[in-house]
Structure formats: C-alpha cells, structure tokens
C-alpha cells in the first residue's frame, strides 16, 4: 500500500501523524517499506502494525526512539514479543549512525510550530549544531514537548527541567572525569560503563522522586 493509504489507516488513532513523520521514522530505521520498480514506497500490513507500535510507545510511554528500535530489533530476532506481524526475522538497514535533521525536517517530524521551536532554542532546551542541523534526540524531545503542550505546559515552564538536568550532568561529570583523564586505555571503557550506569540510576531516582511527590497531589 502507498504512504497515503498508510496515513489514512493511522489517522483514526493518531490524528496528528503526517507523511513527514512516517518518512522520519523510516529514516531512523523503525520501519522499512519496500519499493516499487519506479521507486515509490510500498508498505505492508506488518509495516502499518510496526508504525502503530512505535507511535503508541511514544504517545503512551514516552519512550525514546532508540529504546523503541531496540524493542523492535529484539522482536525481529524472536527474542521478545512485538507488535502483531512484526516478530520474526526482518532485514535491517546498515547502521550509519544517527542522521542530523534540518530545521524543516525537525518541524515535520515533531509537529512543532516554528515559534515553539524558537522558544525551545531560546530556553536552551534544543540547540542546533554549527551547521544549523539538529540531533535526532532533539526530535524526540520535541515530540515530548508537543505532548506536554496538550496539558498547557509551555516551553518557558520547562526551564526547571533543563536546570535540574544540567545539575545532574554536572554531578556525573565530576565522578567520571578522573577516569577519562587516565592514560590506561581500559579506563575509558570503565568510564563509559560507569556513565551509562549512573545515567540509568539518575533517571530511575528522578522517576521515583516524582512519583513520591505526586502522592501529595493524589493523596495516595
């Protein structure tokens, strides 16, 4: 089926999805449609289910694309259940690393308005590179920001998140910097591992603290 047909099937559950968003997910390797002899994308029913899985994971669980991609890869290898029609072997594209996005691509992928993106830049939440392009993580952040906007949360309200994250990064930097400065070639591997573990623990701690704080709101 064509990308337009896919869009029509997804719109009922995901009214904000666009052709550009589907193309962005394809560029990130989350869905791999075939091509007709003339070069047009040709999606299968399994591709549509794969897209539903990705969009639901973003909307309902706020999972980053990297995690969703890992889940799908595990399902492709038969190591875990995935979306209907996804499990089983599936050809994987060559991993050339994350691809930077132009401003227009970022706006199309996230659904942000140019004004909102400008605000995010002004508040230090998103920052383009020297060449004016954006990291894929900026797209993930933009999707979260857009979801939070449904509750009336604006970019200016997110400065506290940025400040808190910077403080956490500063603490982790103090811990691992001595390891990175060692000349032992294995020290960098230890530093990388320590940083990954600390980052994971920091996220877990932050989540627990928020849950504990919300008990005051819910009375639980």
């Amino acid at each position: 089926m064509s990308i337009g047909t896919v869009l029509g099937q997804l719109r009922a559950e995901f009214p904000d999805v666009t052709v550009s968003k589907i193309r962005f997910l394809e560029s990130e390797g989350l869905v791999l449609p075939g091509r007709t002899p003339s070069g047009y994308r040709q999606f299968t029913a399994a591709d549509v289910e794969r897209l539903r899985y990705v969009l639901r994971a973003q909307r309902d669980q706020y999972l980053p694309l990297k995690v969703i991609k890992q889940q799908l890869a595990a399902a492709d290898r038969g190591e875990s259940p995935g979306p209907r029609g996804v499990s089983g072997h599936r050809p994987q594209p060559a991993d050339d690393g994350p691809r930077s996005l132009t401003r227009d691509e970022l706006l199309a992928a996230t659904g942000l308005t140019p004004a909102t993106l400008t605000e995010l830049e002004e508040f230090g939440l998103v920052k383009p590179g020297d060449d004016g392009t954006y990291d894929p993580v900026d797209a993930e952040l933009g999707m979260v920001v857009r979801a939070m906007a449904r509750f009336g949360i604006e970019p200016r309200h997110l400065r506290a998140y940025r400040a808190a994250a910077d403080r956490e990064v500063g603490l982790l930097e103090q811990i691992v910097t001595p390891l990175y400065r060692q000349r032992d070639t294995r020290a960098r591997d230890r530093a990388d591992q320590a940083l990954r573990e600390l980052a994971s623990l920091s996220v877990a701690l932050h989540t627990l603290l928020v849950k504990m704080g919300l008990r005051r709101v819910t009375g639980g």
Side-chain angles (χ1 to χ4, degrees), residues 214-220:
L214 289 177
R215 289 179 182 173
R216 297 195 301 271
V217 178
T218 62

Side-chain angles (χ1 to χ4, degrees), residues 33-115:
R35 295 277 179 169
T36 66
S38 54
Y40 291 102
R41 293 173 177 82
Q42 192 68 32
F43 293 83
T44 65
D47 291 326
V48 176
E49 290 304 319
R50 197 176 183 92
L51 286 168
R52 290 187 194 278
Y53 182 89
V54 173
L55 295 171
R56 285 170 182 160
Q58 286 188 309
R59 181 193 64 192
D60 301 338
Q61 303 177 55
Y62 301 105
L63 293 179
L65 292 181
K66 181 179 180 181
V67 173
I68 299 172
K69 189 173 183 178
Q70 290 172 345
Q71 292 178 346
L72 288 170
D76 292 337
R77 295 191 299 268
E79 297 174 0
S80 66
R84 187 170 65 249
V86 168
S87 59
H89 294 290
R90 181 184 183 90
Q92 297 296 316
D95 187 2
D96 297 324
R99 184 180 69 86
S100 59
L101 305 170
T102 66
R103 186 178 182 85
D104 287 342
E105 288 174 332
L106 181 65
L107 291 172
T110 60
L112 294 173
T113 65

Side-chain angles (χ1 to χ4, degrees), residues 161 206-220:
Y161 289 86
H206 176 81
T207 300
L208 290 171
L209 290 173
V210 170
K211 287 182 178 179
M212 291 169 62
L214 289 177
R215 289 179 182 173
R216 297 195 301 271
V217 178
T218 62

Side-chain angles (χ1 to χ4, degrees), residues 31 38 48 71 77 102 110 117 133 144 148 157 169 205 210:
V31 64
S38 54
V48 176
Q71 292 178 346
R77 295 191 299 268
T102 66
T110 60
L117 179 54
T133 61
V144 173
M148 296 179 79
H157 298 135
V169 170
L205 177 60
V210 170

Side-chain angles (χ1 to χ4, degrees), residues 16 18 20-21 24 101-121 126 134-135 138-139 142-143 146:
D16 295 333
T18 63
S20 296
K21 176 64 177 292
F24 170 71
L101 305 170
T102 66
R103 186 178 182 85
D104 287 342
E105 288 174 332
L106 181 65
L107 291 172
T110 60
L112 294 173
T113 65
T116 299
L117 179 54
T118 297
E119 284 188 86
L120 292 175
E121 293 172 345
V126 169
Y134 298 82
D135 190 277
D138 292 325
M143 294 173 193
R146 189 163 185 265

